[in-house]
Amino acid sequence: MEKHIVLLPGDGIGQEVINSAKEVLEAIAEEFHHSFSFEQQEIGGTAIDLYGTPLPEATVEATKKADAVLLGAVGGPKWDNNPSHLRPERGLLGIRKALDLFANLRPVTGFKQLLHASPLKEEIVAGSDLLIVRELTGGLYFGQPSERRDNGNAVVDTLSYTRHEIERIVDKAFKAARVRRGFLTSVDKANVIESSKLWREIVEEKKAEYPDVTVEHALVDSTAMKLITNPTHFDVIVTENLFGDILSDEASVLTGSLGMLPSASLREDDMGLYEPVHGSAPDIAGKGIANPCAMILSSALMLRYSFHLEEEAKLVEEAVQSVLESGAHTGDLQIKGGRLVGTAEMTKLIVDYIKTQHPAKCIQDCYR
Ligand code: IPM
Ligand code: MN
């Protein structure tokens, strides 16, 4: 399989972890006889410094031609006081919109070795395995341009959704649920907000098409509570942009593995942008100690969702899991009695696992 991948390292540790993902993908390409080509472009604060904009035209053009995009992270204190159009986050919002990446998938899976680092009691969090499907290109983030009125003393932000926008995200969530445990929680605020009422109606209509999926409706406030009191209740959660932003941050810390969490942002045709859930960690950038696992696991999601290479995706995930089980870990992970390693060594261990475990080696060498 031939694929062209655009790398957007962005800011802070984004630069380091993206190299790790590239090394892993090169190993996968070699083992499975694929041909992956890579091209690097700028986004975020780095792009502001180089080109005076968080999302240069060249970046948009390159990503439009790509089969998939890997993004490190954007942001940092250096740009915190910039005016809003010159903030690194604008680059991220701009590329989501430019590529129509409306479906944001954020899986939260616990690693046994890390559960003790959860803020919840281990017996409550053990067994949690959920997927948040967040609408990413509509809602309050992208309403009519926000405006100040009354000499700056009043403000208007617009929350708008069309039937089409809701239907397509709900469809993605039903499809995700049917290959998992078949349980979908649709989260809204239908007791107050009009867009949530339409959302609920559409989920009700859609469920006839997915008889294999059980659906419940839940309000966003009580869902925030239940994520803490009973996280194993959930399988797939689908919700609008802002609710999804908040709930996915909440969910990301449940399993004590923030540094391990990947995400995917997909277009209708499954082209996608893949990024770790963690940020740019400017305090540790450039030190060679960043945890590359979330970025590497994001590249596994790319193999699965955009390239439909399930075996390859599983091998990457298994490699990360097995290296963690061996006790090797970066400084952000609290693994008792393990061996502390840096970004390069962690990556090498994962690459080595892929190279030694892949059975294609044996098929070629043993049956010649
Ligand atoms: C995220 C981030 C972004 C968002 C910010 C950086 C604009 O928090 O990916 O969740 O709110 O969508
Ligand atoms: Mn967020």
Side-chain angles (χ1 to χ4, degrees):
M1 180 178 281
E2 266 183 46
K3 293 289 177 193
H4 185 62
I5 301 158
V6 168
L7 305 175
L8 304 177
D11 308 322
I13 59 167
Q15 301 275 345
E16 296 152 72
V17 295
I18 209 124
N19 290 331
S20 302
K22 182 166 177 257
E23 277 177 49
V24 167
L25 289 171
E26 280 166 347
I28 288 288
E30 198 183 312
E31 292 302 315
F32 291 83
H33 307 290
H34 299 305
S35 157
F36 296 155
S37 56
F38 299 92
E39 167 187 355
Q40 186 167 319
Q41 295 288 343
E42 305 304 336
I43 195 168
T46 311
I48 296 174
D49 290 352
L50 286 169
Y51 306 110
T53 165
L55 185 61
E57 205 37 49
T59 300
V60 176
E61 286 314 308
T63 53
K64 280 190 174 162
K65 289 188 210 120
D67 294 307
V69 181
L70 292 182
L71 186 142
V74 295
K78 185 173 176 196
W79 307 281
D80 272 355
N81 297 320
N82 282 9
S84 67
H85 70 286
L86 284 181
R87 290 188 55 115
E89 295 83 356
R90 284 276 140 203
L92 192 54
L93 296 174
I95 199 156
R96 287 174 181 169
K97 198 71 180 175
L99 299 178
D100 202 15
L101 304 171
F102 68 91
N104 184 219
L105 274 49
R106 298 186 169 181
V108 177
T109 320
F111 290 82
K112 270 199 315 293
Q113 301 85 338
L114 297 171
L115 282 187
H116 69 94
S118 168
L120 301 184
K121 292 187 192 112
E122 241 179 281
E123 64 263 29
I124 289 186
V125 74
S128 300
D129 176 11
L130 57 102
L131 171 70
I132 298 191
V133 179
R134 167 190 175 194
E135 201 292 325
L136 202 60
T137 50
L140 273 172
Y141 278 60
F142 297 97
Q144 301 295 318
S146 303
E147 60 176 38
R148 290 287 177 106
R149 295 181 184 167
D150 190 17
N151 295 324
N153 294 312
V155 64
V156 181
D157 287 311
T158 320
L159 199 180
S160 82
Y161 270 111
T162 61
R163 165 172 284 275
H164 169 70
E165 286 173 320
I166 300 172
E167 278 177 353
R168 63 183 186 173
I169 189 72
V170 166
D171 263 322
K172 280 263 191 247
F174 270 108
K175 290 194 173 109
R178 66 159 36 146
V179 295
R180 290 174 50 101
R181 296 192 298 283
F183 181 51
L184 179 64
T185 306
S186 172
V187 174
D188 61 39
K189 188 72 187 171
N191 53 345
V192 182
I193 296 175
E194 197 56 38
S195 60
S196 282
K197 292 180 190 154
L198 178 60
W199 183 285
R200 211 175 256 224
E201 278 166 36
I202 290 174
V203 172
E204 276 301 298
E205 289 165 25
K206 280 270 163 208
K207 75 179 187 195
E209 290 171 38
Y210 301 92
D212 45 342
V213 176
T214 307
V215 185
E216 67 168 2
H217 298 279
L219 297 173
V220 63
D221 46 356
S222 70
T223 303
M225 217 163 62
K226 207 171 203 168
L227 270 172
I228 299 290
T229 53
N230 189 10
T232 54
H233 168 80
F234 297 101
D235 177 14
V236 178
I237 292 176
V238 64
T239 191
E240 64 90 51
N241 202 345
L242 184 63
F243 296 162
D245 179 46
I246 298 166
L247 292 181
S248 63
D249 258 33
E250 185 187 356
S252 73
V253 296
L254 293 180
T255 54
S257 344
L258 179 60
M260 304 297 297
L261 298 181
S263 79
S265 302
L266 305 177
R267 193 165 71 187
E268 192 77 67
D269 63 358
D270 289 337
M271 188 272 190
L273 177 147
Y274 298 83
E275 58 180 318
V277 168
H278 63 67
S280 61
D283 50 322
I284 59 160
K287 296 187 176 159
I289 58 173
N291 182 356
C293 290
M295 186 78 245
I296 290 171
L297 291 170
S298 298
S299 69
L301 294 186
M302 175 187 82
L303 294 169
R304 170 171 300 126
Y305 291 121
S306 285
F307 302 167
H308 307 289
L309 296 173
E310 183 60 29
E311 194 190 337
E312 289 83 336
K314 282 225 174 78
L315 181 59
V316 173
E317 288 165 351
E318 189 190 300
V320 171
Q321 172 84 45
S322 141
V323 169
L324 263 192
E325 273 165 15
S326 78
H329 65 96
T330 45
D332 57 307
L333 303 179
Q334 304 169 29
I335 294 186
K336 290 174 208 140
R339 188 165 65 89
L340 193 63
V341 299
T343 313
E345 189 175 352
M346 192 73 186
T347 307
K348 184 173 181 306
L349 291 167
I350 293 167
V351 165
D352 286 350
Y353 182 94
I354 290 170
K355 292 196 165 163
T356 52
Q357 292 300 311
H358 181 238
K361 271 237 155 59
C362 188
I363 291 167
Q364 273 179 6
D365 300 344
C366 313
Y367 298 95
R368 205 175 305 201

